[in-house]
Amino acid sequence: MTPSARLAASIDLLTAMEAAPRKPADAVANSFFRERRYIGGGDRRAVSGLVWDVMREWRRLSWHLEQSGAETPTPRTLAAACLAFKGTPIRDVASLFSDGRFAAGALTFKEKNVLSTLAEKSLDDPRMPRAVKLELPDWLLPKLEETFGDTLEEELAALSEPATLDLRVNILRNSRQEAQKALAREGLHATLTPLSPWGLRLNGRQPVTSTTPFKDGRVEIQDEGSQLVAAILGAAPQMRVLDYCAGAGGKTLALAMMMENKGHIAACDVAEKRLDGAVRRLRRAGVHNVEQHLLQAGDKWAKRRSASFDRVLVDAPCSGTGTWRRNPDARLRMTEQDLEELLTKQAEILDKASTLVKPGGRLVYATCSVLRAENADQVEAFLRRKPDFKLVASDSSALPEKLKETSMFSLSPRQNGTDGFFAAVLTRAEEKTASDEIDLPLSAE
């Protein structure tokens, strides 16, 4: 593709995203490229790169365009402004907008005027409101200030950087070093992750899914933080384990590996499509100790298994604020009402899942959010509702020492090099026996 054609495709993709504001940008992009298989790998990366840059800079670009007289920023003007702020001379940006067959069409007189005002300006401007500078909805700023305090700007800067590509090695099939060597033979040079004992890390977008180690189930794509959430559960071969919000099975696979394909895992979700998507992954990884179950209204499955699981993982639906490196569009797509609905849903899920933990068993509540309201606040409220639970430090041998020492951890790109994750470990009190309840006299009479 020519540079003009790449720009035109980028604008088309931004337009498609704008037309589906409730749909994740990566899902829109996947559909977009699936329908245009003629766009090769290099061109796809160039188009995606510009689009994701626009997404990461949306509020600042829009602010500049509005200051320059643009009534409503459009995908065309946003893409043009992004290129200009990345260092492309204004004249060269304008030349990319041509009337050719595969081009975006020439700039209008007004678009040219707006673009010309951006010359010599920098993307960050001291006059910007703080929420604009930090690429946040106005309502979300105080909630993140509560979470991060004085380090907010540094934390958000890290959440704006492109994410690494992390893999979890399936030790049912090979060691971490063996998988690393197998990837290297196919030109992918991975380093060991510093926290997860099963992790490998690649920089940038790499064609992992086309490699033999991926196809034969020796590696899975999974952020290091997500691997640690699975690790903190401390699942072992003899246990009965429940993955209550299993989704497409990423953490289920990690749990099966920890259990050496022994014991029993129940993977539940409310979405049949997500559970169906996990089947292929389980088969590829050689996992056969997993039972899947679709949770439905009026379902008696949970009631029949009350207080029967040694370990229960609740990877709750959340705002996804910890994954902004991968989903920069999510910053501006979420509303305050969305968060309130999620908080209610999280509390309901936590209460239901807790009934399935056996006395003496453990419950891990986790999110990929960095918001206190979804994390520590949820745990504290749960403990007030359920006095038979208490926080406890994990004893999982898979965790690094510093994470074993706490009952709750919060990870972030700035501090840990992972996506933003939260996890809390709770244990249910042992049932009292009849002898426990007998009040013995302090001394014989």
Side-chain angles (χ1 to χ4, degrees):
M1 296 174 72
T2 64
S4 292
R6 285 178 170 179
L7 173 61
S10 300
I11 291 169
D12 287 345
L13 179 50
L14 285 166
T15 301
M17 291 174 176
E18 196 173 55
R22 304 298 294 174
K23 191 174 181 180
D26 57 348
V28 176
N30 288 340
S31 298
F32 180 88
F33 289 120
R34 223 174 9 249
E35 294 166 3
R36 296 164 176 80
R37 296 191 182 277
Y38 57 84
I39 300 180
D43 293 322
R44 191 180 301 118
R45 285 189 288 275
V47 170
S48 298
L50 177 56
V51 168
W52 256 251
D53 282 343
V54 170
M55 288 293 179
R56 291 188 183 96
E57 300 165 0
W58 189 281
R59 288 211 74 181
R60 285 173 293 169
L61 292 171
S62 297
W63 184 87
H64 276 288
L65 291 169
E66 288 163 1
Q67 294 291 310
S68 300
E71 294 176 5
T72 303
T74 67
R76 284 168 58 86
T77 55
L78 287 163
C82 185
L83 289 170
F85 283 120
K86 293 295 180 191
T88 305
I90 298 294
R91 180 181 298 177
D92 293 345
V93 174
S95 70
L96 293 173
F97 288 83
S98 63
D99 289 323
R101 182 181 173 191
F102 298 108
L107 292 172
T108 65
F109 179 75
K110 187 168 186 178
E111 287 173 334
K112 286 180 181 178
N113 281 344
V114 168
L115 191 58
S116 67
T117 66
L118 303 182
E120 308 302 324
K121 290 184 178 179
S122 60
L123 184 59
D124 289 317
D125 189 299
R127 296 173 298 160
M128 286 177 174
R130 194 175 191 215
V132 171
K133 179 185 175 184
L134 297 179
E135 294 289 335
L136 299 171
D138 294 344
W139 67 268
L140 190 53
L141 177 59
K143 297 184 184 300
L144 285 164
E145 288 174 331
E146 179 187 25
T147 297
F148 293 123
D150 294 340
T151 64
L152 175 61
E153 295 196 17
E154 292 88 347
E155 292 284 355
L156 288 177
L159 275 166
S160 296
E161 292 295 322
T164 55
L165 177 56
D166 291 355
L167 308 176
R168 179 184 54 76
V169 174
N170 180 8
I171 58 175
L172 295 174
R173 295 206 155 161
N174 59 178
S175 70
R176 189 154 63 150
Q177 288 71 24
E178 288 168 341
Q180 185 181 31
K181 290 176 182 176
L183 289 166
R185 286 194 290 270
E186 300 199 31
L188 275 64
H189 300 284
T191 57
L192 306 184
T193 53
L195 299 174
S196 168
W198 318 304
L200 294 174
R201 176 163 292 164
L202 295 162
N203 287 319
R205 295 173 180 267
Q206 302 277 358
V208 171
T209 57
S210 64
T211 65
T212 302
F214 178 85
K215 290 177 179 177
D216 63 17
R218 283 181 279 166
V219 296
E220 281 283 338
I221 297 173
Q222 186 177 25
D223 183 77
E224 185 182 24
S226 179
Q227 296 176 39
L228 294 172
V229 167
I232 201 173
L233 195 65
Q238 74 279 10
M239 292 181 178
R240 283 176 50 80
V241 175
L242 172 61
D243 188 354
Y244 194 73
C245 303
K251 294 182 183 68
T252 306
L253 288 165
L255 295 173
M257 179 190 71
M258 292 176 69
M259 296 169 68
E260 300 173 12
N261 236 344
K262 300 172 184 176
H264 179 258
I265 301 174
C268 299
D269 205 89
V270 294
E272 187 173 10
K273 187 175 181 180
R274 287 200 291 263
L275 286 175
D276 288 344
V279 172
R280 185 172 62 256
R281 299 178 73 186
L282 293 167
R283 189 180 300 123
R284 186 175 67 232
V287 168
H288 51 70
N289 65 336
V290 175
E291 162 206 359
Q292 290 184 302
H293 180 75
L294 179 66
L295 296 170
Q296 297 174 300
D299 188 359
K300 295 194 183 334
W301 184 92
K303 187 175 181 180
R304 290 170 182 152
R305 290 160 178 78
S306 177
S308 67
F309 288 95
D310 300 286
R311 299 286 187 270
V312 173
L313 172 62
V314 176
D315 183 16
C318 68
S319 63
T321 47
T323 66
W324 281 351
R325 298 190 301 171
R326 305 175 195 282
N327 306 293
D329 58 299
R331 289 180 182 235
L332 304 178
R333 198 174 61 244
M334 186 175 66
T335 67
E336 195 164 10
Q337 182 179 345
D338 290 337
L339 179 60
E340 291 304 318
E341 291 173 356
L342 280 167
L343 293 176
T344 300
K345 184 183 294 185
Q346 289 162 359
E348 291 173 350
I349 290 172
L350 198 44
D351 286 352
K352 289 177 181 176
S354 69
T355 66
L356 293 155
V357 182
K358 67 188 292 186
R362 292 191 175 184
L363 168 67
V364 167
Y365 171 75
T367 73
C368 54
S369 170
V370 297
L371 298 180
R372 179 179 175 84
E374 296 183 89
N375 297 336
D377 287 354
Q378 280 286 23
V379 173
E380 291 167 7
F382 171 77
L383 291 172
R384 289 192 293 271
R385 295 192 303 272
K386 305 287 183 180
D388 56 331
F389 280 84
K390 66 178 181 180
L391 286 164
V392 62
S394 174
D395 58 2
S396 173
S397 61
L399 286 175
E401 286 301 321
K402 62 181 179 180
L403 295 183
K404 289 180 186 177
E405 299 169 359
T406 178
S407 56
M408 291 194 289
F409 69 61
S410 296
L411 308 174
S412 76
R414 175 177 173 265
Q415 298 176 69
N416 311 102
T418 68
D419 283 350
F421 276 96
F422 170 85
V425 187
L426 305 107
T427 187
R428 190 174 195 174
E430 295 275 8
E431 289 182 335
K432 291 182 179 180
T433 64
S435 60
D436 291 331
E437 297 174 356
I438 296 174
D439 291 327
L440 298 175
L442 294 175
S443 61
E445 293 183 359

